[in-house]
Amino acid sequence: MRNSKWYEQPNELGDIVVSTRVRLARNVADYPFVSRMSLEQKQELIQKVKQTLESANFSSDNPIHYIDMAALTQAQAVSLAERHVISPDFTTQREGKGLFLSEDESISIMVNEEDHLRIQVLCAGLQLHEALDMANRFDDLFDSWLTYAFDEKLGYLTSCPTNLGTGLRASVMLHLPALEQSHNMGRLINTLSKLGLTIRGTYGEGSDAKGALYQISNQVTLGLDEKTACENLKGIVMQVIDQERQLRAGYVNEAMEDQIYRALGILKYARLLSYDELMNLLSLVRLGVSNAIVPNIQIGTLNSLIINQGAASISSMADHEVKSEERDRIRAQAVRKAFA
Amino acid sequence: MRNSKWYEQPNELGDIVVSTRVRLARNVADYPFVSRMSLEQKQELIQKVKQTLESANFSSDNPIHYIDMAALTQAQAVSLAERHVISPDFTTQREGKGLFLSEDESISIMVNEEDHLRIQVLCAGLQLHEALDMANRFDDLFDSWLTYAFDEKLGYLTSCPTNLGTGLRASVMLHLPALEQSHNMGRLINTLSKLGLTIRGTYGEGSDAKGALYQISNQVTLGLDEKTACENLKGIVMQVIDQERQLRAGYVNEAMEDQIYRALGILKYARLLSYDELMNLLSLVRLGVSNAIVPNIQIGTLNSLIINQGAASISSMADHEVKSEERDRIRAQAVRKAFA
């Protein structure tokens, strides 16, 4: 049996919190920042990371594989970004970029992204401390084999000053249909920014939220340690969850229940599905599962469709170029199978 | 087990032809036309019809029951019109109006509608001669017990001159989504009117066609006998069916298949359904069944929902006054059960 992916894991708050992501930005003292590195230096660094990981002999039930980004097709590369395994930036100019990815796709180490190392851990549901602990394990490992660029006052030195200090970005992806529908997002964005956090649509900055999925992240990397940053974020996220649950009491009425079941009916029967429509339908069904309206549907099924049914992911799975209509057909087929 | 209704019977052309209806308008020489009858005369006529039917001792497996229209609630009366068992006119000023209805609802005899007798036979699919034969059996029966108002030159005398002659109105209800979508209905209406036929939406004159259901009827009752009128109508209906089938070849593509399956998904899962939406969804599913896209659905199931899910029919089934939203809930429930 294949290793199940991080997003298929059940989790207590999984109905509202889709995922938690923690990433650490690190640079190695022996090399200039990535923008000034030669291709040879980049390859050398990738080799050093590879040796470090091999030496560590991490969990054999979730092995880490190396992916040479330059060897991928564009669809394969973008598919990784769609699945949140890498940043969108990591899909362009891929020569000299290396990715170390665990089999469950929860751990990814990008080498030669904006910084030398980007250590990322993804978990289902709200697991900030667990994700941070796991990222720290890799951080400690690299720290013992490589010399990090570190300043006693500033902390970890990073290519972009916004990451200076802890180099930590912790993000939580939330499903907030009631907050969205009640036009409370503007107020929430303001409140969060005063607290040093940002909230935005799931796929990229400034993008519209698809399927009522929002990502809340820390902005401040100076003046507080990683654990405190995660603690703060968790506290705020719990309050947002609370607001969402309260608003749902008035939002989920009989007409909404009808919409939820219609969405399920369309997911089970449609022959063509665009990704945007899929996200909207999944949002309704997730609300139904969360509010105990729709029985017998696993949150992991919904997560898996969100993660794996993007355009590039479908193209990279097929063995030929996939055009828009064929993609919608393949997607609808996969969705029917998932709900069968 | 209850007697299955006429519309549940399978029929060869049932995918496109929903139903055939034949009705004969007859008046009795001993009485003035209905508009000039006293209540006593009306009651007397109802008694005579009752005695005639009792004397005939028709099929015991499909008994005919008497319904005093004045004893019904408004919802019960309108429900009969929704199910095409009576005319809409028969639901108003119901004192002195009597209905004889067979258990399968295929045979109905309205007493004191516009004419003294309206003998109506309903069949599933295209069965003009069968329906006419059945109507003629009742016509012959009444003819032998009552004296019809009949003129050697004009034929049967009727209250409205448009029915003079044979007193026959033969109608066929057709499902014509491809003709409708290809904007061919205007041309068809013109052609049919030149041939002495009319086509119109299913529920009443001038009404929009719901669910792409159209009714083609003869208009001419003078100068040709009943059998010839039915023969003509059948010939034209066969041509219309042929046009519809040809147009579907271009009309039913992958996008339409998607629409058909989505309609099925909504019917199976919706919690609220208006009658208009139900008709549109059933139209798509009928197209899917007809074109062998959707398997395992009986045409009788679709017919039954068309016939029985009108507002008044739902109200008359419930034991209390049913408001709009509750009606949509009850309807959605019945539809889910039908497709389960």
Side-chain angles (χ1 to χ4, degrees):
Chain A
M1 217 189 83
R2 79 180 174 86
N3 225 328
S4 76
K5 305 295 183 195
W6 65 268
Y7 45 80
E8 297 167 327
Q9 304 301 326
N11 190 277
E12 210 179 320
L13 287 167
D15 60 325
I16 289 191
V17 184
V18 178
S19 61
T20 297
R21 177 162 47 161
V22 158
R23 72 112 170 94
L24 300 171
R26 295 290 183 262
N27 289 277
V28 180
D30 320 338
Y31 297 107
F33 281 137
V34 174
S35 57
R36 308 192 129 215
M37 275 170 105
S38 70
L39 187 56
E40 287 67 34
Q41 288 177 309
K42 289 180 182 175
Q43 303 290 14
E44 202 180 289
L45 179 57
I46 290 171
Q47 284 311 312
K48 283 190 182 171
V49 172
K50 193 180 266 181
Q51 283 156 16
T52 306
L53 287 168
E54 276 164 7
S55 75
N57 216 357
F58 269 122
S59 58
S60 59
D61 57 334
N62 187 25
I64 291 176
H65 303 288
Y66 174 65
I67 296 167
D68 177 4
M69 289 302 292
L72 300 183
T73 64
Q74 185 64 15
Q76 288 171 330
V78 176
S79 164
L80 292 169
E82 280 178 353
R83 282 143 64 210
H84 299 287
V85 161
I86 61 171
S87 63
D89 276 355
F90 211 56
T91 65
T92 59
Q93 293 168 295
R94 290 182 266 113
E95 200 70 45
K97 289 188 165 99
L99 173 69
F100 295 88
L101 181 63
S102 69
E103 208 152 284
D104 72 352
E105 297 184 3
S106 70
I107 301 155
S108 57
I109 297 150
M110 288 178 272
V111 185
N112 302 322
E113 208 251 20
E114 189 181 280
D115 296 295
H116 291 151
L117 296 179
R118 289 265 171 121
I119 304 165
Q120 177 186 280
V121 176
L122 275 163
C123 299
L126 187 61
Q127 299 195 60
L128 279 159
H129 292 295
E130 294 82 348
L132 181 62
D133 283 351
M134 181 60 82
N136 282 339
R137 282 180 65 191
F138 286 88
D139 189 31
D140 293 347
L141 173 69
F142 292 124
D143 200 16
S144 65
W145 284 72
L146 307 164
T147 312
Y148 278 154
F150 184 82
D151 180 275
E152 279 302 327
K153 263 200 165 151
L154 293 171
Y156 294 102
L157 302 179
T158 53
S159 171
C160 177
T162 56
N163 292 314
L164 210 61
T166 57
L168 169 76
R169 171 83 16 108
S171 314
V172 176
M173 196 200 290
L174 295 153
H175 182 231
L176 304 175
L179 270 159
E180 183 181 79
Q181 279 297 311
S182 63
H183 307 292
N184 273 301
M185 293 313 295
R187 197 176 48 77
L188 188 59
I189 288 168
N190 282 335
T191 311
L192 291 179
S193 97
K194 283 176 198 152
L195 297 166
L197 304 175
T198 81
I199 181 166
R200 61 182 192 215
T202 328
Y203 283 86
E205 326 228 1
S207 67
D208 270 3
K210 286 183 183 174
L213 294 178
Y214 291 88
Q215 193 168 281
I216 300 182
S217 317
N218 72 316
Q219 284 297 92
V220 180
T221 52
L222 274 168
L224 77 179
D225 65 26
E226 292 89 333
K227 215 175 159 183
T228 312
C230 285
E231 205 72 63
N232 287 352
L233 179 59
K234 188 177 174 178
I236 301 296
V237 164
M238 291 306 292
Q239 286 180 41
V240 173
I241 292 173
D242 209 49
Q243 279 184 41
E244 171 69 19
R245 291 216 199 271
Q246 279 176 32
L247 281 168
R248 286 189 186 181
Y251 176 59
V252 183
N253 53 19
E254 188 178 23
M256 181 52 67
E257 197 171 320
D258 179 49
Q259 291 303 312
I260 287 167
Y261 270 107
R262 281 165 183 255
L264 184 60
I266 292 171
L267 289 170
K268 285 193 170 194
Y269 282 90
R271 261 51 190 170
L272 297 171
L273 274 176
S274 73
Y275 187 68
D276 280 8
E277 188 186 10
L278 174 62
M279 291 295 276
N280 289 332
L281 296 171
L282 288 176
S283 173
L284 283 162
V285 172
R286 183 181 282 266
L287 179 62
V289 173
S290 174
N291 279 35
I293 292 164
V294 181
N296 304 325
I297 289 179
Q298 302 299 313
I299 287 291
T301 304
L302 308 181
N303 289 349
S304 174
L305 292 171
I306 291 171
I307 301 288
N308 290 317
Q309 293 302 321
S313 298
I314 288 176
S315 286
S316 82
M317 291 289 284
D319 52 359
H320 61 282
E321 203 199 314
V322 178
K323 297 225 175 80
S324 168
E325 190 170 280
E326 187 185 351
R327 211 154 56 213
D328 290 355
R329 186 188 311 133
I330 293 171
R331 186 181 291 117
Q333 209 161 15
V335 170
R336 289 203 304 282
K337 200 176 157 199
F339 283 107
Chain B
M1 216 189 84
R2 81 180 172 88
N3 224 328
S4 76
K5 304 295 183 194
W6 65 267
Y7 45 81
E8 296 167 328
Q9 306 300 326
N11 190 277
E12 210 179 319
L13 287 166
D15 61 324
I16 290 192
V17 185
V18 178
S19 61
T20 297
R21 177 162 47 159
V22 159
R23 72 112 170 93
L24 299 170
R26 297 288 183 263
N27 288 278
V28 179
D30 320 338
Y31 297 106
F33 280 137
V34 174
S35 57
R36 308 191 130 217
M37 277 169 103
S38 69
L39 187 56
E40 288 69 33
Q41 287 176 311
K42 289 180 182 175
Q43 303 291 13
E44 201 180 288
L45 180 57
I46 291 172
Q47 283 313 309
K48 282 189 183 172
V49 171
K50 193 179 267 181
Q51 284 156 16
T52 305
L53 287 168
E54 277 164 6
S55 75
N57 217 357
F58 269 122
S59 57
S60 59
D61 57 332
N62 187 25
I64 290 175
H65 303 289
Y66 174 66
I67 296 166
D68 177 5
M69 290 302 293
L72 299 182
T73 65
Q74 185 63 16
Q76 288 171 329
V78 176
S79 164
L80 291 170
E82 280 178 354
R83 283 144 63 212
H84 298 287
V85 161
I86 61 171
S87 63
D89 276 356
F90 211 57
T91 64
T92 60
Q93 292 169 295
R94 290 182 265 112
E95 200 70 44
K97 288 187 166 97
L99 173 69
F100 295 89
L101 181 62
S102 69
E103 209 153 283
D104 71 353
E105 297 185 2
S106 69
I107 301 156
S108 58
I109 297 151
M110 287 178 269
V111 185
N112 302 322
E113 209 251 19
E114 189 181 281
D115 297 293
H116 291 152
L117 296 179
R118 289 266 171 119
I119 304 165
Q120 178 186 278
V121 177
L122 274 164
C123 299
L126 187 61
Q127 300 195 59
L128 279 160
H129 293 295
E130 294 81 348
L132 182 61
D133 283 351
M134 181 60 83
N136 281 340
R137 281 180 65 189
F138 285 88
D139 190 31
D140 293 346
L141 173 70
F142 292 125
D143 199 16
S144 65
W145 283 70
L146 308 163
T147 312
Y148 277 154
F150 184 81
D151 179 276
E152 278 302 325
K153 264 199 165 152
L154 294 171
Y156 294 101
L157 302 179
T158 54
S159 171
C160 176
T162 55
N163 291 314
L164 211 62
T166 57
L168 169 77
R169 171 82 16 106
S171 314
V172 176
M173 197 201 288
L174 295 152
H175 182 232
L176 305 174
L179 270 160
E180 183 181 80
Q181 279 297 311
S182 62
H183 306 292
N184 273 301
M185 294 312 295
R187 197 175 48 77
L188 188 59
I189 289 168
N190 283 335
T191 311
L192 291 179
S193 96
K194 284 175 197 152
L195 297 166
L197 304 175
T198 81
I199 182 166
R200 62 183 191 214
T202 327
Y203 283 86
E205 325 227 4
S207 68
D208 270 2
K210 285 184 186 174
L213 294 178
Y214 291 88
Q215 192 169 282
I216 300 182
S217 317
N218 71 316
Q219 283 297 91
V220 180
T221 52
L222 273 169
L224 78 179
D225 65 27
E226 292 89 334
K227 216 176 158 183
T228 312
C230 285
E231 204 72 62
N232 287 351
L233 179 58
K234 189 177 174 180
I236 301 297
V237 164
M238 291 305 292
Q239 285 180 40
V240 173
I241 292 172
D242 209 50
Q243 279 184 42
E244 171 69 20
R245 290 218 199 272
Q246 279 176 30
L247 280 169
R248 285 187 186 182
Y251 177 58
V252 182
N253 53 18
E254 188 178 22
M256 181 53 67
E257 198 172 319
D258 180 50
Q259 290 304 310
I260 287 167
Y261 270 107
R262 282 165 183 253
L264 184 60
I266 293 171
L267 289 170
K268 285 193 172 195
Y269 282 89
R271 260 52 190 170
L272 297 171
L273 274 175
S274 73
Y275 187 69
D276 280 7
E277 187 186 10
L278 173 62
M279 291 294 276
N280 290 332
L281 296 171
L282 288 176
S283 174
L284 284 162
V285 172
R286 182 181 283 268
L287 180 62
V289 173
S290 175
N291 280 35
I293 293 164
V294 181
N296 303 327
I297 289 179
Q298 302 299 315
I299 287 290
T301 304
L302 307 180
N303 289 349
S304 175
L305 293 172
I306 291 172
I307 300 288
N308 290 318
Q309 293 301 322
S313 298
I314 289 175
S315 286
S316 81
M317 292 289 285
D319 52 359
H320 60 284
E321 204 198 316
V322 179
K323 298 227 175 79
S324 167
E325 189 170 282
E326 189 186 349
R327 211 154 55 211
D328 290 354
R329 186 188 311 133
I330 294 172
R331 186 180 290 117
Q333 210 162 14
V335 170
R336 289 203 304 283
K337 200 177 156 197
F339 283 107

